[in-house]
Amino acid sequence: MSDDSLAVNRANWDERVAAHVASADYGVARFRADPGHLSGVVRFDLPRLGDVAGLRGVHLQCHIGTDTLSLHRLGARMTGLDFSAPALAEARRLAEATGAAVDFVESDVYGAPQVLGREAFDLVYTGVGALCWLPDIRRWARVVADLLRPGGRLFLREGHPMLWAIDEARGDGLLTVEYPYFEQPEPCVWDDAGTYVTTDATFTRTVTHTWNHGLGELVTALLAEGFELTMLAEHDSVPWEAIPGRMVRDADDEWRLRDRPGRLPLTYTLQARRLP
C-alpha cells in the first residue's frame, strides 16, 4: 500500500471513530451493560464459528474492538490489531470498562507479523469491510499464514466482491456492475462525506482509496500460502443498508434486497486451515 493511500484512509477512519462509538449500530453501551452481549457480525456466524474457547486469536483490522470483545466473551484469548490510534483508544476503553483481558496493538495489516510474532496464533479473524482497504490480497494471505501456527485457522466474513462492484447510488432501480470485480493496481478513489452508521456528525476527511478482490483471487492466494479451504458460504444479507432505499432489515438484524434478494450475493463467510 502506498504511503499516500495509507495516510488518506487512516485520516478518514480516525475522524469517524467518535461517531461510530456514539452510534447505536455498534452498541457500545449495550456491551457495557450486558456481559453476554455479542456483536451482530459475530452472532450471525455463531453456527459456523464453532468452539473458540481457549484459542489464541488475533482480529485483524479490529476498529473499535466490538467483534474482538465478542470473541473474547466466547472464550478466545484475543488480540486486536488496527492502524487507527483513536479507534484503539476506544477499544481499550471498552475492554477496561467490561473487564476484558484483550490486547490491542497499533499497526497496518501488512506489518502484523513483525509486531505480533510469527506462528503465534490459533485463529485469525477478520470481519466485514476489511479487505477492501488492502491493495494486495496475495500479500494479505502471506500475513495470515505467517501469523498462524500449523493447523491454525482463518475465519473471514466479508462483503462480497459483487457487492463492491455494484453502483448502489443509481436511482432507476437497476443493479448494474460499474466498478472492478477483480483486483486492480490502482485504487478506486471515493469522496463521501458520510459513514455507514446513523449519525448527525459532519466530516472533513472524506476521501478513501479501496480495492476489490475477486473470490477466486482470494481463494487462490490462500491455497498458494499452504491453506486448505474448509468452508465457503455466500449470503444474501449484509450488516448495514449497503444499497440505500432498496433493502429491508430481517430478524437477524441484517439487510437484504427488498426485490428478489436471490439475485445478488452480499457477503460471504470463509474458513481455511493452515496445513502442517
Side-chain angles (χ1 to χ4, degrees), residues 4-68:
D4 179 60
S5 292
L6 187 68
V8 164
N9 288 339
R10 181 187 284 121
N12 183 278
W13 280 99
D14 286 353
E15 190 180 34
R16 282 153 180 74
V17 167
H20 291 180
V21 170
S23 168
D25 296 280
Y26 270 99
V28 169
R30 188 169 177 189
F31 273 102
R32 291 171 177 262
D34 180 1
H37 179 66
L38 304 176
S39 69
V41 171
V42 171
R43 280 200 312 274
F44 178 88
D45 269 318
L46 282 177
R48 289 164 285 273
L49 182 61
D51 185 10
V52 298
L55 297 183
R56 187 177 181 201
V58 58
H59 177 190
L60 300 180
Q61 297 166 274
C62 68
H63 193 38
I64 62 173
T66 51
D67 292 346
T68 327

Side-chain angles (χ1 to χ4, degrees), residues 86-233:
L88 292 174
E90 292 296 342
R92 293 183 184 110
R93 191 171 291 121
L94 178 59
E96 183 178 0
T98 56
V102 179
D103 296 321
F104 290 99
V105 178
E106 183 179 342
S107 173
D108 69 276
V109 173
Y110 295 141
Q114 285 70 47
V115 298
L116 298 177
R118 286 176 165 79
E119 298 190 352
F121 296 95
D122 307 301
L123 172 71
V124 169
Y125 177 91
T126 298
V128 179
L131 298 187
C132 63
W133 306 101
L134 305 177
D136 187 341
I137 201 63
R138 293 164 298 280
R139 188 178 175 192
W140 170 85
R142 198 172 311 126
V143 165
V144 175
D146 282 346
L147 291 170
L148 281 172
R149 298 186 179 103
R153 64 170 164 141
L154 164 70
F155 191 98
L156 169 68
R157 174 134 190 252
E158 184 51 281
H160 200 286
M162 276 308 303
L163 172 61
W164 303 137
I166 291 294
D167 181 0
E168 78 280 4
R170 288 181 68 108
D172 58 10
L174 296 177
L175 291 175
T176 62
V177 179
E178 183 64 26
Y179 306 110
Y181 174 90
F182 298 107
E183 183 180 301
Q184 303 295 308
E186 297 301 318
C188 290
V189 179
W190 311 96
D191 193 343
D192 184 353
T195 186
Y196 53 84
V197 303
T198 303
T199 180
D200 295 326
T202 57
F203 306 107
T204 60
R205 304 289 191 167
T206 59
V207 175
T208 55
H209 296 180
T210 67
W211 294 261
N212 206 357
H213 312 287
L215 212 50
E217 293 175 324
L218 169 66
V219 171
T220 299
L222 290 169
L223 294 177
E225 293 299 329
F227 281 87
E228 173 188 44
L229 189 68
T230 57
M231 191 195 71
L232 178 58

